[in-house]
Each structure stands twice: as C-alpha cells, then as structure tokens.
Amino acid sequence: MQPTPGKPRVFSGIQPSGGLHLGNYLGAIRNWVRDQDRYDNIFCIVDLHAITLPQDPTALRENTLDLAAIYLASGIKQDQAMFIQSQVAAHAELAWIFQCFTPVGWLERMTQFRDRTARQGRERIGAGILTYPSLMAADIMLYDTRYVPVGEDQRQHIEYTRDLGQRINQRFGEILVIPEALIQKAGAEIKGLDDPEKKMSKSLAADAPGHAIFMLDAPDVIRKKLARAQTDAEPAVRFPAGAGVRNLLEIYRTIKDKDWPAVEQEFAGKPYSVLKSTVADAVIEALTPIQERYREIRSDDAALMLQLHRTADRLAPIANSTLRRVQHAVGLR
Ligand code: AMP
Ligand code: TRP
C-alpha cells in the first residue's frame, strides 16, 4: 500500500488514565502542537487501552473529556482530527484479527507485559495487557499512518506494529502501510522530581505527590514541587551537573527552546534556589494559558462531546475501508 499523497499522516495516542504531567506535555503534546501543520494528524484518546488496567467508570469518563480539553487547550487546532478510540468500532475489530496473526511469544516478550506480570503476577492482570500491542497496531495501521510520534518507551510497540504489518503484507499482498516511529530528542525523557533516576510517570506520581508536575497544577503547587525537587549536596550549579539538576535544566531548556551551552552559561554558579525558581517561572508561564483555555473548554462539555462524535463519524469510513481490505484478504468477506 502506498500512502495517499499530500501531507504525511501522523497518528498519536494518549491514554485517558489520569492527569497529564509535564513529561507528557514536553515529550509529546508540545511537539504535536508545534508540528501539526506539517502533517495530517490524527489524535486519539485511547480509552480501550486505558481499560487494560482497572479504571473507575466515572473517573474514566471525566479523564477522557479532560484529555480532549487539554489537547485543544495546548493548541491542537479544531480542524485536526481528535477522537475517542472506542467510538470507532473498527479499532477493536481489526485488533482481533491482528491478535490472531500474532505469535503469543512476540506479545509475551514485550517489556510492558513482562514488567506487569513481574510486579503483579499472571493471575492478577487482564489478558488485555498481553494483547495491548495488537490494538495499538490496529490504531496505527487503520489510517495508513506514516509516522507515530512517541516516547522511547513505546519504541518496542512500533517495532511490533511494523513486524506484524510486514508479516501480513508478505502473506496477503501489500495491504498495510508500514509506519515509522518519530522519537523526539528534547524532552523525550523528563525524570521524576523526587527521583531523577526514574522517568516521570503517572503510576509513580500516584504514590509520591512530589514526583510529577501535572498540567493542571496551580502555580503555588508547581513552585512547591520544584522547590522540593531532588538535587545534590553542591552549593551551586556546576557542570557536569548531577541527575537532579540536569533534569531541571532539561525541563527549562525544552520549554525555552534553548541549547545546552546557552543553559550552562545562564546557570553556571547560580544557587539551586535561583535555578528552581527560574524553572518554576518558566513552567508556570507555559502552563497558565493552557489551564485558562482548559477551563473555558470544560465549561461546555456538550459542545466538546459533539466535536468528538463528529470527528469519529468522519474517521470511521477511513478506518472501515482498511478493515474491509484486511477482512477480505483473510477471507472474512
Ligand atoms: P503515557 O502517559 O505513558 O500514556 O504517555 C503519553 C505520551 O507521553 C507518550 O508519547 C510518552 O512517550 C510520553 N511521555 C510519558 N512520560 C514521559 C516523560 N517522563 N518524558 C517524556 N515523555 C513522556
Ligand atoms: N501505548 C501508548 C502509550 O501508552 C498509547 C497508544 C495507544 C498509542 N495507541 C497508540 C500511541 C497509537 C501512538 C499510536 O503511550
């Protein structure tokens, strides 16, 4: 399959499983906003992926709307396609077919599956965690996607998507477009404020309030969290800096679009208190307008839902046409 001419299609997904943090913003959303005019974008709120882990139903609905509102508030334009995964049935249908063409060994070798089973045991996690990559492959290949912007942690899932696509194409002819991962360098891995060895993540934030800055955190909360961020015993910023200081500088550098030499020059010899308050100013300046727009958008949930439904209706025929192609190739139609 050749992709359609015009702007290359980009598909990205985020799970509506709780507050988005600064890592999500700097590593993902901000890049999508910046690059949106260069691509034909599809932004997907992957609620079917979210239920691979236990979710409170009311919270899941709330988080889904929150995520949509945050996407828009962050600058994703209205004319870009943003939709809720479960509203286009073809995702679940193609995922089933993909599962049937995926060796169990491939899925069992996925880092995410191995981490979960190691932590919780095989009796305590749903089979959705195992087959998760097949649904993700369906998300991506339903729309003849060229590029998938993700963080480093998702590289393995994209590799699987490519392997699966190639396997199906070899067997049935060129019916799927093979996508490529777009992995950003700057901001690609923001670390936890409480532990700069660990990636900032939703699950770690649940146990440690000082771990992450959330996109909807109030300014005083942001200042407090940054003031407590882990550094080291040095009296002032020195290079090469320790992991905690480097993480703060990485946050600053990404928000301000500065390179390392500029940042080193700016902060060398400055006390940590100055570093922390300058980073706090930058984070607050970046997040405040987003929070204002977010509140406006969430004040009319009906309008937001209508927009999401309309986009799902517009995308369904594209997804269905790929689904039909695959169904026909394997003998289902
Ligand atoms: P998740 O929150 O794991 O669903 O991730 C949503 C998107 O944000 C993905 O593209 C991730 O790679 C990206 N992301 C998540 N955590 C971080 C982080 N700490 N630093 C940079 N990007 C991140
Ligand atoms: N697995 C991704 C994550 O946890 C979310 C996701 C689901 C996704 N489907 C996708 C990302 C398709 C990109 C493309 O971050």
Side-chain angles (χ1 to χ4, degrees):
M1 277 295 300
Q2 286 304 308
T4 36
K7 291 183 186 177
R9 166 135 320 138
V10 167
F11 187 102
S12 42
I14 294 199
Q15 302 191 43
S17 50
L20 290 174
H21 53 67
L22 199 60
N24 296 132
Y25 180 60
L26 296 179
I29 299 174
R30 188 172 172 274
N31 300 324
W32 304 345
V33 171
R34 191 194 49 217
D35 296 339
Q36 62 186 319
D37 294 329
R38 286 167 42 202
Y39 300 113
D40 172 10
N41 297 284
I42 300 180
F43 299 103
C44 187
I45 299 169
V46 292
D47 54 350
L48 295 174
H49 278 107
I51 62 164
T52 57
L53 295 177
Q55 301 290 337
D56 171 72
T58 308
L60 179 58
R61 269 185 284 271
E62 193 60 24
N63 288 333
T64 299
L65 285 174
D66 255 1
L67 186 49
I70 289 178
Y71 271 145
L72 292 174
S74 301
I76 298 294
K77 294 180 190 160
Q78 297 273 352
D79 61 351
Q80 302 285 342
M82 177 180 67
F83 78 112
I84 300 175
Q85 185 186 32
S86 63
Q87 291 183 356
V88 177
H91 289 251
E93 290 185 67
L94 185 60
W96 175 257
I97 299 176
F98 280 177
Q99 282 168 53
C100 296
F101 284 87
T102 302
V104 176
W106 289 11
L107 297 175
E108 285 182 340
R109 282 193 288 275
M110 292 283 158
T111 308
Q112 179 177 282
F113 176 73
R114 289 160 48 128
D115 283 355
R116 283 281 164 195
T117 43
R119 255 187 286 164
Q120 286 167 277
R122 298 168 73 93
E123 296 300 320
R124 282 173 186 275
I125 56 168
I129 291 284
L130 178 66
T131 59
Y132 181 112
S134 301
L135 177 59
M136 184 159 161
D139 296 342
I140 295 166
M141 291 196 285
L142 272 175
Y143 300 95
D144 296 339
T145 301
R146 279 285 288 134
Y147 299 115
V148 189
V150 282
E152 189 55 48
D153 59 323
Q154 297 296 318
R155 186 194 290 278
Q156 200 180 28
H157 293 152
I158 309 297
E159 282 306 312
Y160 156 77
T161 301
R162 292 171 55 86
D163 290 345
L164 175 73
Q166 276 152 3
R167 171 180 260 249
I168 289 177
N169 282 352
Q170 259 157 29
R171 170 111 189 252
F172 299 108
E174 298 288 302
I175 56 173
L176 296 169
V177 173
I178 309 300
E180 272 171 60
L182 274 186
I183 300 195
Q184 303 284 337
K185 291 280 178 297
E189 189 133 324
I190 303 296
K191 308 291 188 183
L193 299 181
D194 59 339
D195 179 357
E197 299 302 325
K198 301 222 172 81
K199 191 181 133 168
M200 187 178 283
S201 83
K202 265 176 233 174
S203 53
L204 293 176
D207 303 327
H211 173 77
I213 291 172
F214 289 99
M215 288 185 70
L216 299 176
D217 275 349
D220 59 320
V221 174
I222 295 174
R223 271 188 208 289
K224 237 181 255 158
K225 285 179 175 174
L226 279 166
R228 288 186 196 142
Q230 193 189 308
T231 47
D232 47 48
E234 297 283 333
V237 180
R238 264 190 239 287
F239 295 99
V245 171
R246 237 182 309 128
N247 188 43
L248 295 178
L249 291 170
E250 176 69 2
I251 291 171
Y252 181 78
R253 176 180 101 78
T254 309
I255 291 178
K256 294 285 189 188
D257 283 319
K258 293 191 176 185
D259 55 19
W260 275 109
V263 166
E264 291 193 9
Q265 207 181 354
E266 187 170 344
F267 288 101
K270 296 265 164 67
Y272 287 161
S273 58
V274 172
L275 168 68
K276 287 173 167 183
S277 68
T278 312
V279 177
D281 289 341
V283 172
I284 291 165
E285 188 186 302
L287 293 184
T288 301
I290 296 176
Q291 295 177 354
E292 282 165 8
R293 283 195 296 271
Y294 160 84
R295 280 191 289 271
E296 253 168 61
I297 296 166
R298 280 302 315 261
S299 69
D300 190 353
D301 285 346
L304 181 58
M305 224 8 168
L306 183 66
Q307 185 190 339
L308 291 163
H309 272 294
R310 283 206 177 121
T311 306
D313 288 345
R314 177 158 70 76
L315 292 176
I318 304 174
N320 286 335
S321 116
T322 309
L323 176 65
R324 300 283 174 265
R325 211 158 67 216
V326 177
Q327 285 174 326
H328 181 72
V330 305
L332 294 173
R333 278 182 177 252

